[in-house]
Amino acid sequence: SLLSSRNTFLGYKGYLIMVRLVASVLLIARLLSLSNAFTSQPSFVIPVNDKLRKIAGYRRDSLNVLHMAAFESVDEISLDAEERMEKSVSNLNQNLQTIRTGRASPAMLDLVMVDYYETPTPLNQVAGISVTSSQQLTLTPYDKTAMEDIERGIIDSGLGLTPNNDGNVIRINIPDLTEERRKEFMKQCKALGEDGKVAIRNVRRDGVDAVKKMEKAGSIGKDEMLDGLDEMQKITDTYVKSADDAVQKKESELMKL
């Protein structure tokens, strides 16, 4: 009888331990869920279309991507598409700035990466960049031991620039563009422009698919679907033109020098 009572007590104690363990796991899961909820930031858009400016307040996740399931109207789809297209044009402009025009500009080094302590790091995070003259840049490393890594990053960038290290700063002389080099950069501009427009059209495709799915699900009528598709095309045309204008501006800069 004593042995039976002891086994019963141990079984009950084991049961309590199991219950507490499960409760602890559930509590940890809940805390993690709350943490993710607080780290997700709302994002709002300032669209170019006056009609769409009146629509605001929908939430986005931490990657600023509106999930397909969150679309509640055609206007939200248009807002999402416009924001993504604007980002594509912004990326295009940033990439175009890295193409040198024969005139010194810190922006031409924006995409240069330095292997800093075996970690790829943007050049502008390991050195200060200033314009010494119209054809010279001066780099002041924040860590003098990284000078050789910075030089290697500039050489390996493919920009055709040669850094000169005097032990304290690194100077980069910007050579005049040869006709051959100018044509090569013009081709790069066109290629970047095409990449930007492909990205914009991919966003349009996603938007069109989302509008059609809403109509298929019965959330909107056919007329509203057609209006949404028409609006999507107008937004696309606007940003494709922005991409073309950015490329044309860069090409004009190359032609003037």
Side-chain angles (χ1 to χ4, degrees):
S1 176
L2 181 61
L3 181 60
S4 177
S5 298
R6 183 173 181 276
N7 289 339
T8 300
F9 173 77
L10 291 176
Y12 178 72
K13 186 176 181 181
Y15 172 78
L16 288 178
I17 293 174
M18 181 63 69
V19 169
R20 289 174 181 173
L21 179 61
V22 172
S24 298
V25 171
L26 292 176
L27 178 59
I28 292 172
R30 177 59 177 165
L31 290 174
L32 289 174
S33 175
L34 289 173
S35 174
N36 290 333
F38 281 115
T39 55
S40 293
Q41 304 259 341
S43 176
F44 301 94
V45 192
I46 304 177
V48 297
N49 186 296
D50 287 334
K51 173 186 174 184
L52 296 180
R53 280 196 178 93
K54 300 176 182 178
I55 309 298
Y58 57 95
R59 297 181 65 88
R60 295 173 182 272
D61 62 17
S62 58
L63 294 177
N64 288 329
V65 177
L66 189 63
H67 295 297
M68 296 294 291
F71 288 135
E72 296 181 357
S73 69
V74 174
D75 285 327
E76 286 189 359
I77 296 173
S78 298
L79 281 168
D80 179 66
E82 187 167 1
E83 184 184 61
R84 292 168 61 194
M85 290 181 188
E86 185 175 358
K87 185 175 181 180
S88 295
V89 173
S90 177
N91 289 338
L92 169 61
N93 280 316
Q94 183 178 1
N95 289 332
L96 288 172
Q97 286 179 355
T98 65
I99 297 179
R100 67 182 182 88
T101 59
R103 185 177 296 276
S105 169
M108 66 175 59
L109 302 177
D110 280 353
L111 298 184
V112 175
M113 301 298 290
V114 176
D115 190 13
Y116 186 58
Y117 287 100
E118 300 183 355
T119 301
T121 307
L123 173 58
N124 55 21
Q125 291 184 16
V126 297
I129 306 173
S130 60
V131 179
T132 311
S133 68
S134 62
Q135 289 190 302
Q136 188 181 78
L137 293 173
T138 298
L139 281 62
T140 305
Y142 302 133
D143 178 0
K144 295 293 178 64
T145 64
M147 277 200 169
E148 290 186 4
D149 294 330
I150 293 174
E151 286 184 297
R152 190 178 303 111
I154 295 169
I155 295 172
D156 293 344
S157 67
L159 293 174
L161 301 175
T162 302
N164 297 303
N165 175 1
D166 68 1
N168 292 311
V169 298
I170 297 173
R171 291 184 174 84
I172 302 175
N173 293 317
I174 312 300
D176 292 330
L177 291 178
T178 63
E179 189 63 28
E180 182 180 355
R181 195 66 168 164
R182 194 189 310 273
K183 290 179 180 179
E184 182 180 337
F185 286 152
M186 294 279 281
K187 289 180 181 178
Q188 288 184 20
C189 287
K190 291 185 184 298
L192 289 172
E194 286 304 314
D195 288 344
K197 289 191 287 187
V198 167
I200 291 169
R201 292 180 182 125
N202 285 341
V203 174
R204 174 190 175 277
R205 179 199 60 206
D206 293 343
V208 167
D209 289 345
V211 172
K212 289 182 177 179
K213 286 179 180 178
M214 287 192 71
E215 193 272 340
K216 186 176 181 180
S219 301
I220 60 174
K222 185 174 182 179
D223 289 342
E224 188 174 357
M225 178 194 73
L226 293 175
D227 289 342
L229 296 180
D230 183 58
E231 181 67 25
M232 189 65 60
Q233 186 59 52
K234 290 179 181 178
I235 295 172
T236 303
D237 292 342
T238 297
Y239 283 98
V240 166
K241 185 178 184 304
S242 294
D244 286 334
D245 290 345
V247 172
Q248 186 176 2
K249 180 181 178 182
K250 189 66 177 183
E251 288 177 339
S252 296
E253 292 176 4
L254 287 168
M255 292 299 294
K256 287 179 182 178
L257 298 171

